[in-house]
Amino acid sequence: MKHTINFGFFLIVFILVRFNILLLNEETLILLVFSVFSFLSISKLTPMISNFFEVQQVGIKSNITTSFIKLLDLLKQQQHFLNSSNHWTYELIKLKQHFLEFNLVVLKQQPQVYQEQLSKKLSKKLYFSQRLETQLLKLISLIILDKLKTVLQVQNFCVKTFQLQKFKSTEKMYLREHFKKIY
């Protein structure tokens, strides 16, 4: 059908030129060439341009669809975030309540814990002072025994070297008295 239209068009142009209805001067030839070029361009390039625009249309449509899907996903994420942020506030309020209850329990237990710690420290200090007292008693008794030994040695020296009778009788009394003091 296209060939018959093209043939018909050329036939009409030929008849018009032949009977000098259409003059073939420069302007007419340029108009004729431009018209033929436009007609052929439109007829031959229309499918190619149509395909190009269809490809562009499909690409733009897919881009818009993808963008829309991403926008919906983003909106869903934001909605989820808002819902979870509301959940966070509830959880933080619960955490605050638990924290206050825990602090109340700790504060109630604190005097008892402090008293137990203080009693442990006091018992350790008392035990230490008891051990210190025992050690000190041992040390004092050793010092007294050492002094007594030196006194007895001096007294013995006096009895043997100076031959004094007074030292002989008092020696036994002093010895008894010192033993009583130690025990």
Side-chain angles (χ1 to χ4, degrees):
M1 170 121 179
K2 285 185 179 183
H3 296 293
T4 54
I5 292 174
N6 290 341
F7 181 72
F9 176 73
F10 286 118
L11 185 64
I12 291 172
V13 170
F14 181 71
I15 291 173
L16 290 175
V17 170
R18 179 81 178 143
F19 293 113
N20 286 329
I21 296 173
L22 187 64
L23 296 174
L24 290 177
N25 59 10
E26 293 175 359
E27 290 92 15
T28 310
L29 286 176
I30 290 174
L31 177 65
L32 183 66
V33 168
F34 179 72
S35 299
V36 170
F37 174 75
S38 298
F39 178 75
L40 288 176
S41 297
I42 290 172
S43 65
K44 298 294 181 185
L45 294 177
T46 299
M48 188 169 69
I49 292 173
S50 176
N51 286 339
F52 174 76
F53 283 127
E54 285 178 9
V55 168
Q56 291 294 324
Q57 177 189 6
V58 169
I60 290 171
K61 187 175 180 179
S62 68
N63 286 343
I64 289 174
T65 306
T66 305
S67 297
F68 184 70
I69 290 171
K70 286 182 180 180
L71 182 65
L72 283 177
D73 288 343
L74 182 64
L75 289 174
K76 286 179 183 177
Q77 286 176 352
Q78 286 180 351
Q79 182 66 33
H80 179 70
F81 178 74
L82 287 175
N83 290 340
S84 65
S85 68
N86 289 337
H87 185 68
W88 287 354
T89 56
Y90 176 71
E91 290 296 322
L92 287 175
I93 289 171
K94 282 178 61 178
L95 181 65
K96 176 185 170 188
Q97 290 172 348
H98 287 298
F99 181 71
L100 290 174
E101 291 172 4
F102 175 73
N103 281 342
L104 187 64
V105 168
V106 167
L107 288 176
K108 284 182 180 178
Q109 296 290 328
Q110 181 64 27
Q112 185 181 9
V113 170
Y114 180 72
Q115 187 177 12
E116 288 175 2
Q117 288 176 350
L118 193 62
S119 70
K120 284 180 182 178
K121 286 180 182 178
L122 186 63
S123 66
K124 286 181 181 179
K125 286 181 180 181
L126 286 175
Y127 181 70
F128 175 74
S129 61
Q130 182 184 13
R131 285 182 49 218
L132 185 65
E133 182 181 351
T134 306
Q135 296 296 327
L136 189 64
L137 281 174
K138 286 180 182 178
L139 181 66
I140 290 174
S141 61
L142 286 175
I143 291 173
I144 290 174
L145 283 175
D146 188 43
K147 293 292 180 182
L148 187 62
K149 182 180 172 185
T150 56
V151 167
L152 286 175
Q153 284 176 351
V154 167
Q155 190 178 12
N156 193 13
F157 175 75
C158 288
V159 167
K160 286 185 181 177
T161 37
F162 298 125
Q163 299 282 327
L164 294 175
Q165 289 300 336
K166 181 181 177 187
F167 285 117
K168 286 184 181 179
S169 62
T170 57
E171 176 181 313
K172 291 181 183 177
M173 285 193 298
Y174 284 138
L175 187 60
R176 270 190 244 139
E177 285 177 16
H178 286 299
F179 280 133
K180 283 182 184 178
K181 285 181 185 177
I182 291 173
Y183 297 110

